[in-house]
Amino acid sequence: MGSSDAEIEQLEQRFRVSLPVSYKYFMRIMGKMAGRFELDAMWTCDALGLARIRAEAILAQGDQDYADAIALSGEVAQERFVLPATAFVFLASAYDFIYFDTTAGSDPPVFLFQLGDLVPSNSLPSFSEWVRNAIEEYTPPQL
């Protein structure tokens, strides 16, 4: 079940971003629900505010864990990752989140940040490729 154009526009206004064309297309098709797809993560139109909050919590927990480790080891601390203002977190779960930069074109690269990482990894070269990959890797739960 997809999101309406008005709902997508509300997302853009709420987060003060211009969403890429590929993401808008995805939201028009799957923005509210997609069966059992990614049930354990926050990604639907209604949950995106929570996804950003969860991402910030993961970063804060990582900062605390890192500070504790540095204090114990006596090593010199490295600069920690900060989520850019232009980043849009489109999926978050308990220990990781996935985002793209809203200024990186109509089908931007996707980045994965996992709790314990110092920096995000470039997960896939485009959002549409992430969608294809997520669908191909999807395994329905056993009932």
Side-chain angles (χ1 to χ4, degrees), residues 53-70 80-81 93-97 113-118:
I53 291 168
R54 182 68 199 136
E56 296 291 352
I58 289 169
L59 290 171
Q61 179 62 50
D63 288 346
Q64 184 60 52
D65 293 348
Y66 183 68
D68 292 346
I70 291 297
R80 296 289 292 164
F81 172 72
S93 62
Y95 302 104
D96 58 22
F97 62 89
F113 188 92
Q114 296 178 302
L115 184 61
D117 288 352
L118 292 177

Side-chain angles (χ1 to χ4, degrees), residues 96-110:
D96 58 22
F97 62 89
I98 306 173
Y99 72 95
F100 53 74
D101 185 332
T102 57
T103 63
S106 63
D107 198 12
V110 171

Side-chain angles (χ1 to χ4, degrees), residues 1-18:
M1 181 185 223
S3 298
S4 68
D5 287 339
E7 289 168 320
I8 295 168
E9 287 175 24
Q10 287 174 346
L11 282 176
E12 290 180 311
Q13 292 169 2
R14 179 178 179 188
F15 293 103
R16 295 183 178 96
V17 297
S18 180

Side-chain angles (χ1 to χ4, degrees), residues 7 10 27 55 70 72-73 88 91 103 135:
E7 289 168 320
Q10 287 174 346
M27 291 302 284
I70 291 297
L72 289 172
S73 71
F88 186 79
L91 187 145
T103 63
I135 291 170

